[in-house]
Amino acid sequence: MRIARFSLDGNVAFGVIEGDELDIIKGHPFADFERSGRRIPLDKIRLLPPVLPNKVVAIGRNYAEHAKELGNEVPDAPVVFFKPSTSVAGPGDPIVYPSFSSEVHYEAELAVVIGRMCKEVPRERVRDVILGYTCANDVTARDVQRAESQWARAKGFDTSCPLGPWVETEADPGDLAVQCTVNGEQRQLGRTSEMVRSVEDLIVHVTEAMTLLPGDVILTGTPAGVGPLNVGDEVAVTIEGIGTLTNKVIKRD
């Protein structure tokens, strides 16, 4: 099932996508819901970020080849950092090039969307707390990341976390193709089977320390091939069985 968050005539709601239409649901997808039967053509709505997370928990260096390309070792424990809720953008939204950086990179990632409040999740219960999966771009001011010991500014600036285009509830995250293109040219191509630590590993690790809330997002790391984005570029993240997230880079007014 593909669950989208959308805007229509100034109203925001959730719906289930089937073909080229969306069936508006009653309520929200974090509890039992009913379909309204009101079907809207997709070209009549605006897709929004599929969730508004309380927090985005991101994982660094979870693909060995990506760690290597930046001169890093695979860490003994997951590298965990946060992207604030204000960093989230939706499909088609612009990525605003930050004024304090001159080297902004794309990072295509599988994103896990949490479906229920959870803490200290045992491995055998991990699937029970997941609503589904979506595409993410962990946009990074690489020069700032190198210069500052904390990554808050480098990875947390406004529009640095595009998510979308919807949440796919039936994907199996074990071996999906993850691709990034810039202006139609392929830059990244990897598979989630190459992750050092699986989705199950990451949720167990993260929830040892913190409570995750419905709509929170975990970014699972990026394959090798990261590189620069320039103003005017169109960047697209495609994940097998989920969809494509497309954004254009613009200059701040």
Side-chain angles (χ1 to χ4, degrees):
M1 181 185 300
R2 288 180 171 176
I3 299 173
R5 181 171 164 269
F6 69 96
S7 173
L8 176 66
D9 298 329
N11 298 309
V12 175
F14 291 93
V16 175
I17 292 178
E18 292 182 337
D20 59 358
E21 292 184 321
L22 177 144
D23 189 348
I24 299 175
I25 67 174
K26 298 177 182 179
H28 58 76
F30 305 109
D32 293 337
F33 62 83
E34 297 179 4
R35 302 190 190 195
S36 69
R38 183 186 176 194
R39 302 178 71 89
I40 309 293
L42 292 181
D43 61 5
K44 301 296 184 182
I45 65 173
R46 178 191 170 202
L47 290 175
L48 301 174
V51 289
L52 288 179
N54 174 271
K55 54 187 171 295
V56 177
V57 185
I59 308 298
R61 302 170 188 168
N62 199 31
Y63 287 75
E65 289 302 310
H66 169 60
K68 181 179 178 181
E69 73 180 345
L70 295 183
N72 299 308
E73 299 291 333
V74 173
D76 292 334
V79 175
V80 180
F81 60 95
F82 294 101
K83 294 173 82 80
S85 58
T86 48
S87 69
V88 172
D93 288 345
I95 297 168
V96 182
Y97 205 109
S99 59
F100 57 85
S101 174
S102 60
E103 187 185 355
V104 171
H105 283 197
Y106 53 82
E107 292 192 10
E109 307 203 8
L110 173 72
V112 183
V113 180
I114 299 300
R116 63 179 67 179
M117 186 170 66
C118 57
K119 174 78 188 306
E120 296 180 341
V121 180
R123 180 174 297 276
E124 63 272 15
R125 295 290 305 279
V126 163
R127 296 301 175 96
D128 296 340
V129 307
I130 296 173
L131 176 65
Y133 305 88
T134 193
C135 306
N137 194 342
D138 177 19
V139 183
T140 302
R142 193 71 71 198
D143 49 351
V144 178
Q145 184 185 25
R146 287 193 296 263
E148 300 180 0
S149 59
Q150 296 289 329
W151 297 354
R153 294 205 315 150
K155 288 178 171 284
F157 59 88
D158 292 356
T159 72
S160 66
C161 188
L163 297 173
W166 41 65
V167 177
E168 172 56 65
T169 64
E170 298 176 10
D172 182 344
D175 187 28
L176 301 176
V178 179
Q179 176 180 252
C180 179
T181 64
V182 178
N183 302 325
E185 178 183 337
Q186 183 175 288
R187 301 290 178 84
Q188 287 181 284
L189 181 61
R191 302 195 69 86
T192 56
S193 56
E194 300 167 354
M195 292 195 299
V196 176
R197 296 172 180 89
S198 67
V199 168
E200 290 84 1
D201 294 333
L202 298 177
I203 289 181
V204 169
H205 183 77
V206 168
T207 63
E208 283 178 345
M210 70 191 72
T211 299
L212 296 179
L213 302 176
D216 280 352
V217 170
I218 296 179
L219 305 188
T220 59
T222 194
V226 299
L229 288 170
N230 298 301
V231 172
D233 284 345
E234 183 176 84
V235 56
V237 175
T238 300
I239 300 182
E240 180 182 3
I242 298 177
T244 298
L245 167 68
T246 303
N247 303 90
K248 190 168 184 176
V249 183
I250 68 170
K251 184 180 180 180
R252 184 176 299 279
D253 293 335

